[in-house]
Each structure stands twice: as C-alpha cells, then as structure tokens.
Amino acid sequence: MPHKIIAIIGAPLDLGAGRRGVDMGPSAVRLADLNARLASIGYEVDDLGNVPVVQPEATPEGPQHARYLPQIAETCRHLADRVHDAVAAGKTPLVLGGDHSIAAGTVSGVSKHFHDRGGKVGLIWIDAHADMNTPETSPSGNVHGMPLACCVGFGPPELTRIYDYAPKVDPRNVALIGIRSVDEHERDHVRQSGVRAFTMRDIDERGLRAIMEEAIRIASSGTAAFHLSLDMDAVDPREAPGVGTPVRGGMTYREAHLAMEMLGDCGNMSSMEVVEVNPVIDEVNRTATLAVELVTSALGKRIL
C-alpha cells in the first residue's frame, strides 16, 4: 500500500438489505480491535466516524422495485465526499458497512479522485452475489443487489450519476470473484457488461492463486490503482456465519486470506471496503473478527 494513514469511515446502512442488522457492522468491526490491529502493522489510524444514515422506521420505503432508493443515494453522496476527501489528503480509505449498496458511494469517491486527474480506477469485487441487478430485474427490490451494476453505469441515475458522470469504473477493469448465487435475469447483465466474473467453480478448478493473478491484471491494466470491495458473504458461512445473505460453498479461511495477501503484495490497492457484517446472527463476533484479520492481511500483515 502506498499510504501509511488509514482513514476509517463507517457507513451503518441497512436500507438496501432485506434482513436487518448490518447497520451494526461498523461497530462490530471496530469492537474487534480494528484500530489497534492496524496500528500494530505500522499504520496511523484516523477514524472519521460514521456518515449520517436514516433509520427505516423513520422513512417511507418507496417504490418496491428499488426500496429506499432516495435515502440510500443520499448516504452514498455523503460517503463519496468523505472518501474523495480522504484520498485527496493522501490517506487510504477503509469503509465499514453496512450493506453493499454503500459501494456506489465509496467507488464514486475513489473514481472521482482519479477521474479529475485524467486517470482511471480498477475494481476488484469479492462477493457470493453478482450485485448486478437493476430495478427492472431485481426480484426483491433490495438495492444491495445493484451496486456493481451502478458502478459500471447500469441502474438508477441517483446512484450511477453521482458527480454527474458514468460509469465510475470501466467494466473491462472489473474483476468479480467468488460468485455462486446469481438471479435469473441478472445473469444477462453479468455476461453482457464486460465485467470479468470468476465463479466458485472457477476457483475450484483453477485455484485461487491463478484467479487472483488474473483479477489483479484486469484491475491494474491502464489504471492508476484499484479499489477492493469485500463482501464477507464471499467466505463460507462455516467461517463467517454473521453476514447479510449467507450462501453455502464459499471461500475457505485460507483462500480468503490468500486473496487479501496477494492484493496487498501487488502494491496497487488505493482503498477498500468491507461490508455485510451482521452481528445479529453472528457467533460471538466471529465474522467481524475475521473481517479485521482480512483487512490487515490486505494491508500488509504476513505470517513471516
């Protein structure tokens, strides 16, 4: 990593999810000694607190095809500004979710920094789900199933047009890793988008090392840096039981660490977020603790 100051930004949003609880994710990850673990590997930590988020009980749900979209977009705009300011100040943003809809804000903030300088940012998205629905294809209307589509320019303008340009990331510079649950109509978006998707079958057949090497090449080709978006449901529920939408058959503990170690080794990661930690269904904060371990692996902690 090029920077030694980590700017922690919490985004305690669960309006994009169908199950409550991930709004407590930032607190759970901080409680798992995040700041101390980062300091132990040589980083200065600047915890910027949380962006403002409305509670679902206090706001109308809105259209069923994109529930709470205006409120999510407002949070994403606040988050984008915080992330942009952190990158501009020479810090490495570490965003704590919250559901995955916050990525529309995080990626917008990082993208704007490089866009304003005539550059591009790549994106590595590690997730059990493709997150490439739009309001027209989503079977649930939950916006946390749409953020990757928004980042590559498909979806509601409230999220695709933050800072008035789209896409935030060229889909040819996006690697989607670990998917194993894709909605029927979402498949067409994945296939036609230009995003390079690696399913769990690909990982099983080729091995994670080969997948990560290719993903890093994709996200680094012609870009100034890449952003990492890590959904904890990419890890198998036996290791990460407390996530927003668990799906069997995910990455093992060591596969997840290897992915983070390789991303850290390449030296081209500008920023990251970790999302969908749900303490309500977790086991004694296991998933938040694993999230902290994976963050520190991505930021340079090694076995030797």
Side-chain angles (χ1 to χ4, degrees):
M1 294 290 289
H3 312 308
K4 296 300 287 184
I5 304 175
I6 304 294
I8 297 174
I9 306 167
L13 181 79
D14 71 351
L15 297 176
R19 170 187 279 158
R20 300 297 306 279
V22 294
D23 57 320
M24 294 182 278
S27 293
V29 174
R30 286 181 171 112
L31 185 64
D33 288 331
L34 173 64
N35 292 21
R37 296 284 292 274
L38 291 172
S40 74
I41 55 173
Y43 287 96
E44 178 184 342
V45 179
D46 185 10
D47 196 322
L48 303 177
N50 295 342
V51 294
V53 175
V54 299
Q55 294 300 308
E57 294 82 3
T59 191
E61 187 175 283
Q64 290 301 299
H65 63 280
R67 297 161 57 244
Y68 300 109
L69 176 59
Q71 299 91 335
I72 292 169
E74 181 179 6
T75 293
C76 285
R77 288 191 294 270
H78 286 299
L79 179 58
D81 288 343
R82 292 262 193 108
V83 168
H84 175 265
D85 290 348
V87 179
K91 301 175 184 179
T92 299
L94 170 59
V95 176
L96 310 177
D99 72 62
H100 216 160
S101 65
I102 67 165
T106 308
V107 174
S108 292
V110 177
S111 173
K112 178 174 169 56
H113 173 78
F114 294 108
H115 180 266
D116 289 350
R117 289 156 178 77
K120 299 195 304 178
V121 67
L123 178 58
I124 294 181
W125 193 282
I126 302 180
D127 202 318
H129 308 87
D131 290 353
M132 291 199 69
N133 271 304
T134 64
E136 293 73 31
T137 64
S138 172
S140 67
N142 293 330
V143 178
H144 76 160
M146 307 179 193
L148 182 52
C150 294
C151 291
V152 297
F154 303 101
E158 294 92 334
L159 296 176
T160 61
R161 300 289 303 178
I162 295 172
Y163 298 131
D164 297 321
Y165 73 93
K168 298 301 185 296
V169 184
D170 185 329
R172 293 170 296 182
N173 293 125
V174 178
L176 170 59
I177 302 168
I179 58 172
R180 55 194 184 275
S181 177
V182 183
D183 292 321
E184 180 180 357
H185 297 295
E186 186 182 27
R187 286 188 175 92
D188 291 336
H189 291 167
V190 177
R191 291 173 179 142
Q192 298 167 10
S193 65
V195 167
R196 179 67 169 96
F198 300 95
T199 68
M200 282 305 301
R201 176 176 176 173
D202 293 320
I203 293 173
D204 291 342
E205 291 183 342
R206 296 178 54 191
L208 188 70
R209 177 181 175 180
I211 298 296
M212 293 307 301
E213 288 174 341
E214 186 174 347
I216 290 167
R217 286 195 298 270
I218 290 166
S220 302
S221 178
T223 65
F226 64 77
H227 171 73
L228 168 63
S229 191
L230 172 62
D231 189 323
M232 287 301 295
D233 70 19
V235 184
D236 192 86
R238 289 174 296 182
E239 300 291 347
V243 297
T245 313
V247 184
R248 293 173 60 194
M251 292 183 185
T252 66
Y253 177 88
R254 268 308 309 164
E255 284 175 331
H257 271 285
L258 176 60
M260 297 301 104
E261 290 160 356
M262 291 181 68
L263 293 173
D265 287 348
C266 80
N268 203 29
M269 188 173 72
S270 64
S271 48
M272 72 177 293
E273 67 200 332
V274 57
V275 301
E276 298 283 356
V277 173
N278 190 338
V280 172
I281 60 172
D282 204 5
E283 301 169 1
V284 292
N285 223 29
R286 276 181 62 198
T287 305
T289 299
L290 176 57
V292 171
E293 292 180 10
L294 295 177
V295 166
T296 56
S297 284
L299 292 173
K301 182 177 174 57
R302 296 294 177 266
I303 296 170
L304 290 175

